[in-house]
Amino acid sequence: EAVRSRCYSNVGAATFSMPSISSPPGVKLLLGGKFLDSQANEWIDVVNPATQEVVSRVPLTTGEEFDAAVAAARQAYPAWRDTPITVRQRFMFKLQELIRRDMDKLALSVTTEQGKTLQDARGDVFRGLEVVEQACGTVTMQMGEYVENVSSGIDTYSIRQPLGVCAGICPFNFPAMIPLWMFPMAVTCGNTFVLKPSEKDPGAAMMLAELAAEAGLPAGVLNIVHGTNDVVNRICDHPDIKAISFVGSDKAGMHIYSRAAAKGKRIQCNMGAKNHAVVMPDANPDATLNALVGAAFGAAGQRCMAISTVVFVGGSTTWEDGLRERAVKLKVSAGIEPGADLGPVISKQAKERIFSLVQSGLSHGAKLVLDGRDIKVPGYVEGNFVGPTILSNVTPDMECYKEEIFGPVLLCLEAQTLEEAVAIINRNKYGNGTAIFTTSGAAARFFQHEIDVGQVGINVPIPVPLPFFSFTGSRGSFAGDLNFYGKAGVQFFTQIKTVTSQWKETFSKGVAMAFPTSQ
Ligand code: NAD
């Protein structure tokens, strides 16, 4: 109860009904500038994964409420589109200031609902904040192009205009960062927005919406709906929604991609991952082992850029010993506990799935270097904890290799050469992130050139680009053409209009019947 009331004190006060011990607060909708109670008949419990406490209840938005959200966004669009871009940017300047002010409250909400440690939760908020900072400079990214005199006295220029109403569908693992990948860029480009946070942890998104309102964002520019498959299908089908940003699993992503594309919408889908690290024999041992342990087990492996697989070139035993030595020392506990290195996984089902993938690996010949399955966390007997787990002797035909595990499990493979390691990675269906650890520039250069993965780290374990670049996962990890944030993000949220103009004192006389060519 203490955590619950801390979480909802001040920030969040408008977006949740007041909590009481007997009934957890309901998460509100944001429709046309008003935070409202849903009339839904069905509600889902938002559960603290460290304690099983029901933190809040999230409604399955009704059809009428969803339509009202889209209508509010549509109504707000003309005036918002015509608001000068410099003015639109100023809302982002204010929003970034408010996010900084409330960083700790946002992080506490993330920890309470998602489970990650408070320090990691601050990182979740901070990486989203950086997109808001980038959105403050949208004007330079939204500039058009101009060519004078494409034909005699004729000029052509292109302008980037907003699309209209756009929507975002979020996953559970970054409850603050991913909403911030979506609506700040979309609205600063001149669109209005309907956001659907993850039903597992909507709290941070609600607080961000409250901060956007405090920053003065006009009513209807940002709207929030809740729910699962039904509301997502409504987003895919609604004729007034022009573009959809999705982040989440392959299954949902490909469903949304095909359903919304059939309605002619623009879509960007960031999906699952299996990020491999390659460790060369010449890699710096200490730095490499520390990087691998942080990237594999941080956030309990529930990061789309977690390193979940490592390929050791030329022998793995010493490396595996080093990994175990470090991983065994990590403190697994509730994210609010001081000194916790990793928290619980999101749900009992996620924990069961992780266990069954580990077991299937062992049944097919993998070896346990470290077993985190029977971990007991004092004071949190009900938590969904999985301790750091390391499997060696893994081969690409194993189920545990083919599936995204999304837990604190590191798979170890071996290759004789760098070429063989690259071939393994390029055969994997995903292309989100990868990293090489080496002291050889030539090996790094070869890897960077040959690897078919969208985000590459060279002695950097989690190479998530800052928002002046874009998040460039590829192959099975992405569907669409234009990536999240950066220049590609602005391109996603705008369409090009090309104008060809002629201003002359005297126009030529007579009818020209031939197709115009430049003269
Ligand atoms: P999820 O696909 O279960 O849920 C994501 C969203 O889709 C939620 O809002 C959910 O309500 C909705 N949804 C789920 N199933 C649906 C269905 N059948 N029909 C319509 N909507 C549906 O994903 P998750 O478990 O919340 O998130 C974890 C996944 O997200 C992992 O696969 C992870 O790799 C991926 N992820 C990818 C990135 C990236 O940038 N590539 C970033 C973060 C997370």
Side-chain angles (χ1 to χ4, degrees):
E1 186 58 22
V3 169
R4 193 192 291 169
S5 42
R6 254 189 292 155
C7 190
Y8 298 119
S9 64
N10 199 358
V11 178
T15 54
F16 298 87
S17 317
M18 278 313 287
S20 75
I21 290 170
S22 52
S23 71
V27 184
K28 295 196 177 183
L29 305 166
L30 173 56
L31 307 181
K34 295 199 177 76
F35 290 98
L36 299 171
D37 288 317
S38 171
Q39 301 306 309
N41 293 324
E42 288 180 79
W43 295 69
I44 302 174
D45 288 345
V46 175
V47 177
N48 179 330
T51 61
Q52 307 308 322
E53 176 203 22
V54 179
V55 180
S56 62
R57 293 164 69 240
V58 67
L60 301 190
T61 304
T62 67
E64 293 73 33
E65 290 164 347
F66 174 75
D67 288 344
V70 180
R74 190 180 162 165
Q75 202 187 339
Y77 178 62
W80 181 243
R81 181 192 59 188
D82 291 343
T83 301
I85 188 166
T86 44
V87 176
R88 295 200 303 256
Q89 284 183 163
R90 278 180 208 124
F91 292 104
M92 294 299 125
F93 277 107
K94 186 68 189 165
L95 179 60
Q96 66 81 29
E97 182 189 322
L98 298 177
I99 293 172
R100 281 175 201 282
R101 183 196 72 192
D102 288 341
M103 176 75 74
D104 288 346
K105 289 171 188 157
L106 285 156
L108 181 61
S109 163
V110 169
T111 297
T112 307
E113 296 186 356
Q114 198 275 351
K116 64 180 73 173
T117 65
L118 274 175
Q119 195 190 3
D120 197 30
R122 277 189 207 103
D124 185 330
V125 181
F126 197 86
R127 293 303 294 259
L129 170 67
E130 288 175 325
V131 182
V132 181
E133 291 172 340
Q134 183 69 15
C136 295
T138 300
V139 64
T140 49
M141 294 189 291
Q142 201 169 336
M143 277 181 182
E145 292 176 322
Y146 198 111
V147 177
E148 190 189 35
N149 230 33
V150 293
S151 187
S152 174
I154 295 181
D155 305 331
T156 298
Y157 48 95
S158 63
I159 47 184
R160 290 205 159 268
Q161 295 191 315
L163 305 172
V165 180
C166 301
I169 302 163
C170 304
F172 80 83
N173 65 329
F174 281 97
M177 179 182 79
I178 288 178
L180 291 173
W181 279 8
M182 296 176 176
F183 78 83
M185 300 237 55
V187 304
T188 315
C189 287
N191 303 285
T192 55
F193 209 75
V194 177
L195 182 76
K196 194 208 82 70
S198 169
E199 68 280 9
K200 298 192 173 81
D201 46 22
M206 296 311 295
M207 290 178 175
L208 291 168
E210 231 188 295
L211 296 181
E214 188 180 340
L217 202 68
V221 172
L222 173 65
N223 304 274
I224 300 201
V225 296
H226 299 288
T228 57
N229 303 16
D230 280 355
V231 75
V232 168
N233 288 339
R234 286 181 197 280
I235 290 173
C236 295
D237 295 346
H238 200 296
D240 288 344
I241 292 178
K242 304 298 176 203
I244 300 176
S245 294
F246 168 83
V247 180
S249 65
D250 308 356
K251 188 172 166 223
M254 288 318 295
H255 166 72
I256 291 163
Y257 189 71
S258 55
R259 185 158 177 153
K263 302 281 177 183
K265 295 188 200 311
R266 187 179 282 205
I267 310 137
Q268 52 178 193
C269 284
N270 269 11
M271 299 180 288
K274 197 86 182 173
N275 308 306
H276 296 60
V278 172
V279 176
M280 298 300 287
D282 63 5
N284 178 305
D286 244 11
T288 302
L289 288 166
N290 289 339
L292 290 176
V293 167
F297 305 122
Q302 298 175 116
R303 292 179 184 140
C304 67
M305 287 289 279
I307 286 181
S308 54
T309 306
V310 51
V311 186
F312 294 109
V313 175
S316 64
T317 317
T318 331
W319 291 109
E320 284 159 11
D321 291 346
L323 285 174
R324 185 178 54 246
E325 220 170 85
R326 282 165 174 77
V328 88
K329 291 187 194 141
L330 296 177
K331 181 175 170 187
V332 183
S333 190
I336 55 162
E337 289 297 333
D341 292 306
L342 57 145
V345 297
I346 189 70
S347 63
K348 297 253 173 256
Q349 294 89 320
K351 182 173 166 170
E352 288 312 314
R353 187 174 167 276
I354 293 165
F355 280 15
S356 89
L357 284 165
V358 169
Q359 190 49 53
S360 102
L362 295 176
S363 312
H364 288 86
K367 291 195 181 132
L368 263 179
V369 176
L370 182 63
D371 189 356
R373 288 173 297 172
D374 60 353
I375 190 152
K376 304 270 183 304
V377 176
Y380 295 94
V381 283
E382 293 297 328
N384 314 321
F385 294 100
V386 182
T389 300
I390 304 172
L391 301 187
S392 65
N393 269 25
V394 173
T395 51
D397 56 326
M398 291 179 186
E399 210 53 30
C400 64
Y401 175 83
K402 289 193 258 180
E403 290 286 315
E404 179 183 38
I405 299 179
F406 224 52
V409 180
L410 180 61
L411 307 181
C412 302
L413 283 75
E414 286 189 55
Q416 295 311 310
T417 61
L418 176 56
E419 287 79 356
E420 190 190 333
V422 166
I424 292 172
I425 300 173
N426 287 352
R427 273 198 301 272
N428 188 279
K429 73 171 172 174
Y430 292 112
N432 215 35
T434 187
I436 185 168
F437 293 89
T438 182
T439 47
S440 157
R445 177 63 175 72
F446 173 85
F447 185 75
Q448 162 200 308
H449 187 67
E450 294 297 329
I451 205 74
D452 192 6
V453 172
Q455 305 180 104
V456 179
I458 296 174
N459 297 315
V460 171
I462 307 180
V464 177
L466 283 162
F468 23 89
F469 292 96
S470 299
F471 190 99
T472 51
S474 63
R475 293 196 284 134
S477 299
F478 181 70
D481 309 285
L482 294 167
N483 297 109
F484 278 82
Y485 60 75
K487 283 186 200 144
V490 171
Q491 287 162 8
F492 180 77
F493 286 121
T494 53
Q495 58 192 339
I496 301 173
K497 184 180 279 178
T498 312
V499 182
T500 299
S501 77
Q502 173 172 238
W503 292 104
K504 287 180 180 165
E505 289 298 331
T506 49
F507 284 86
S508 66
K509 297 187 182 77
V511 177
M513 295 302 290
F515 197 59
T517 54
S518 64
Q519 306 293 334

